């Protein structure tokens, strides 16, 4: 029996890896029902060293646009029109279908995009239910209900929904520690803070986060700034306490 030598087999294996990596391609197919987008150029941009760099573009023609190209690794990108961010996308092997409509931005067709927009849809549902409770309170006051009686009850319902939303976000991040969604949604969550800070939720997420998550450049930068801010706040608090003591 003839044996295949390692010196023959290795180049074949390397070629297989090369061809398989070259065959990994992304394809974005989008539709828009917003007439004003026709004729506009949309860009896929990726954050590199703090700057949003265009990596692909396409013109919207008769409500449709297409982009495609090789993808050597899974990346988080954002769909832009000029300098306006429209929606996040995961650039991964496969075809993603994007739908842009008034009040609705959806991407589906690949595993991580399906997961991301499933999360966004669920969060939006929770946010709408909170807004509905707030509208209900305003309407009940207009109808003559006692504001003190309804406020406490509805506040409990709102607080319950807010906790449900926080728990859902926390669970999504921890479930996706090891892929691009975990760090990306973590950073989306952190943009709702007035400035980088170590909140209880952030500390809970970091408590079980693997090093791959903590070493993400955006997460690492946020944590550094948050810890620095907390240190400054503690020093300011100590200074105020010392001044209060000395004033007496």
């Amino acid at each position: 029996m003839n044996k295949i030598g390692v010196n023959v087999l290795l180049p074949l294996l390397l070629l297989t890896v090369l061809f398989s990596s070259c065959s990994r391609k992304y394809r974005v197919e989008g539709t828009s029902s917003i007439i004003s987008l026709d004729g506009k150029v949309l860009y896929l941009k990726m954050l590199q060293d703090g700057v949003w760099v265009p990596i692909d573009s396409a013109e919207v023609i008769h409500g449709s646009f297409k982009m495609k190209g090789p993808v050597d690794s899974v990346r988080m990108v954002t769909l832009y029109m000029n300098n306006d961010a429209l929606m996040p996308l995961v650039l991964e092997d496969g075809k993603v279908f994007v739908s842009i409509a008034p009040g609705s931005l959806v991407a589906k067709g690949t595993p991580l995009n399906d997961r991301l927009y499933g999360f966004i849809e669920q969060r939006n549902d929770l946010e709408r239910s909170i807004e509905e409770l707030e509208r209900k309170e305003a309407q009940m006051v207009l109808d003559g209900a006692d504001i003190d009686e309804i406020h406490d009850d509805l506040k409990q319902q709102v607080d319950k929904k807010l906790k449900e939303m926080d728990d859902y976000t926390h669970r999504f991040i921890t479930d996706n520690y090891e892929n691009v969604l975990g760090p990306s949604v973590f950073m989306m969550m952190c943009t709702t803070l007035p400035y980088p800070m170590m909140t209880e939720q952030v500390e809970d997420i970091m408590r079980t986060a693997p090093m791959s998550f903590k070493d993400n450049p955006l997460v690492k930068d946020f944590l550094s700034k948050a810890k620095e801010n907390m240190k400054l706040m503690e020093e300011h608090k100590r200074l105020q306490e010392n001044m209060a003591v000395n004033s007496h």
Side-chain angles (χ1 to χ4, degrees):
M1 183 183 292
N2 293 328
K3 292 184 178 181
I4 300 176
V6 173
N7 60 333
V8 175
L9 185 59
L10 188 56
L12 289 173
L13 289 172
L14 290 174
L15 279 173
T16 304
V17 172
L18 180 63
F19 285 131
S20 64
S21 63
C22 288
S23 68
R24 294 172 61 83
K25 295 178 181 179
Y26 71 86
R27 187 178 182 91
V28 177
E29 294 190 359
T31 59
S32 167
S33 61
I34 301 175
I35 297 173
S36 60
L37 279 184
D38 255 27
K40 298 288 195 303
V41 176
L42 300 182
Y43 298 88
L44 285 180
K45 295 186 181 183
M46 185 171 66
L47 192 62
Q48 293 181 341
D49 300 323
V51 179
W52 286 99
V53 179
I55 57 174
D56 205 346
S57 63
E59 184 181 357
V60 180
I61 301 173
H62 303 307
S64 299
F65 61 94
K66 293 180 181 180
M67 301 182 208
K68 62 179 179 178
V71 57
D72 53 359
S73 61
V74 177
R75 289 176 285 175
M76 201 76 196
V77 298
T78 299
L79 187 66
Y80 270 80
M81 185 185 73
N82 298 324
N83 292 320
D84 298 323
L86 298 180
M87 59 193 292
L89 289 174
V90 182
L91 218 56
E92 58 183 328
D93 187 31
K95 186 186 293 185
V96 56
F97 300 92
V98 173
S99 172
I100 302 175
S104 174
L105 299 166
V106 180
K108 59 182 181 180
T110 58
L112 292 182
N113 280 299
D114 288 347
R115 198 182 303 179
L116 174 61
Y117 278 85
F119 164 76
I120 291 173
E121 183 179 359
Q122 179 65 25
R123 244 192 90 93
N124 287 344
D125 285 345
L126 289 167
E127 286 179 350
R128 280 191 288 269
S129 65
I130 291 169
E131 290 170 2
E132 185 56 40
L133 286 170
E134 291 170 346
R135 281 195 295 270
K136 182 180 176 182
E137 179 179 13
Q139 186 59 51
M140 290 173 75
V141 171
L142 288 173
D143 291 342
D146 185 275
I147 188 168
D148 291 328
E149 287 182 7
I150 62 172
H151 180 71
D152 289 343
D153 179 50
L154 289 176
K155 185 178 182 303
Q156 286 181 7
Q157 293 183 51
V158 168
D159 288 345
K160 185 179 178 182
K161 285 291 181 184
L162 285 170
K163 186 178 185 308
E164 186 180 344
M165 190 159 62
D166 285 346
D167 290 346
Y168 178 59
T169 303
H170 182 285
R171 189 165 60 252
F172 184 86
I173 292 169
T174 56
D175 286 348
N176 292 278
Y177 271 150
E178 303 285 0
N179 64 59
V180 295
L181 294 183
S184 299
V185 171
F186 173 79
M187 293 308 301
M188 289 178 198
M189 179 192 80
C190 292
T191 57
T192 62
L193 299 172
Y195 53 87
M197 65 174 78
M198 296 300 292
T199 64
E200 185 178 338
Q201 189 176 24
V202 169
E203 288 179 346
D204 283 346
I205 289 168
M206 289 303 150
R207 196 169 289 121
T208 55
M211 285 309 299
S212 58
F213 181 91
K214 294 177 181 178
D215 284 340
N216 177 279
L218 293 176
V219 174
K220 203 170 185 177
D221 182 58
F222 172 85
L223 290 176
S224 175
K225 290 176 180 175
K227 289 173 182 176
E228 186 179 336
N229 287 337
M230 298 306 284
K231 185 178 179 182
L232 289 172
M233 288 171 65
E234 287 172 5
E235 289 175 356
H236 180 68
K237 184 181 177 181
R238 279 198 300 270
L239 183 62
Q240 285 187 318
E241 289 172 350
N242 290 337
M243 288 174 65
V245 170
N246 291 334
S247 66
H248 292 298

